[in-house]
Amino acid sequence: MTRILITGANKGIGFALAQTLGNQGNSILVGARNADRGQEAVAKLTAQGISAAYLNVDLSNNNTLFTAAETVKSIYPDLGMLINNAGIPGNMQVKAPDTQISDLQSTMQVNFFGNFTLIQALLPVLETNRGRIINITIPTAANPFWNPLAYKTSKAALNTMTTSLAAAFDADKRPLEIFSIHPGPTTTDLNGNAHADGFQTPDQVAQKIAAVLNDGKVHQGEFIETGK
């Protein structure tokens, strides 16, 4: 059994992961910024016989992340895995040249700075437990069809952070593993619950991600596309 903190675990891919991994015998910390929605998710999980608890995690507010890390250290010191799933889309409708600086800043705070702050704050616990860090992300190369600048920029930074930390962990021989997973197109709130050919449900995505987490391999620094 592993204790797993999943951010954005009150809905979408995060909640599906909480169900899937919880039903495999793991204990879940539901990271969510809204206490009511977080507690509602915990209630649903516990009703299914899953060990779950709520943890206030608001990636737009670094103070909540420091507090969450202190709570983990004192109450859940056996934390063995962090799945950074939570994120915001930014303005996906505006063309790149018209992107507002405020949109870039708010999206970067949640999708990059917030994730890094949480990782950094939890490193002492995760290192003690030889832990794993998984970042849910996307490929960020430009294409002719879909180029939301704020969202892609934030994920590009997240991807660079992942590979940089992986290299540092290896160089320093720290017992930590970090890698990225791109689940592919998924119907969630992030895209307005869009449906199109090739889109998956959160439950389908969660099963594929769980398969990677349980494959017994070391994926240090890798970018894994489960949607293929």
Side-chain angles (χ1 to χ4, degrees):
M1 185 276 286
T2 300
R3 190 177 300 280
I4 305 172
L5 169 57
I6 305 172
T7 66
N10 59 295
K11 61 181 179 179
I13 293 173
F15 183 72
L17 274 171
Q19 287 184 302
T20 299
L21 296 172
N23 279 319
Q24 292 175 353
N26 299 293
S27 184
I28 307 299
L29 290 178
V30 173
R33 60 182 176 179
N34 182 283
D36 290 340
R37 290 196 288 266
Q39 294 287 9
E40 182 180 354
V42 167
K44 291 178 181 178
L45 294 170
T46 54
Q48 298 173 40
I50 295 170
S51 172
Y54 168 67
L55 191 65
N56 180 232
V57 173
D58 182 351
L59 295 173
S60 68
N61 182 346
N62 286 351
N63 287 332
T64 72
L65 308 181
F66 298 135
T67 300
E70 289 304 314
T71 300
V72 168
K73 291 173 187 176
S74 62
I75 302 177
Y76 309 110
D78 59 342
L79 181 72
M81 186 182 299
L82 168 63
I83 301 179
N84 288 309
N85 162 76
I88 61 173
N91 187 342
M92 290 193 172
Q93 307 306 317
V94 67
K95 292 182 179 179
D98 300 322
T99 302
Q100 298 295 307
I101 291 296
S102 58
D103 189 35
L104 280 169
Q105 291 172 327
S106 60
T107 308
M108 285 289 290
Q109 169 58 43
V110 171
N111 296 353
F112 174 64
F113 292 117
N115 279 318
F116 179 74
T117 299
L118 184 61
I119 289 171
Q120 194 174 53
L122 289 173
L123 279 183
V125 171
L126 289 168
E127 185 166 9
T128 296
N129 298 324
R130 309 185 70 84
R132 308 173 86 188
I133 302 161
I134 296 88
N135 294 324
I136 306 301
T137 188
I138 63 166
T140 57
N143 64 70
F145 310 107
W146 187 72
N147 290 294
L149 181 61
Y151 187 65
K152 278 196 168 182
T153 299
S154 68
K155 290 296 188 177
L158 182 68
N159 295 347
T160 299
M161 180 261 284
T162 302
T163 54
S164 295
L165 287 179
F169 294 159
D170 281 348
D172 296 337
K173 295 182 171 54
R174 299 176 71 172
L176 290 159
E177 181 185 2
I178 184 170
F179 59 96
S180 299
I181 292 181
H182 168 43
T186 309
T187 300
T188 67
D189 288 356
L190 193 75
N191 52 38
N193 293 304
H195 291 270
D197 289 343
F199 272 61
Q200 308 162 93
T201 67
D203 287 339
Q204 290 171 322
V205 165
Q207 292 292 333
K208 292 178 181 179
I209 293 174
V212 173
L213 300 181
N214 295 324
D215 66 9
K217 299 177 182 178
V218 175
H219 294 290
Q220 186 76 291
E222 290 183 13
F223 183 94
I224 300 168
E225 298 188 65
T226 60
K228 289 187 174 182

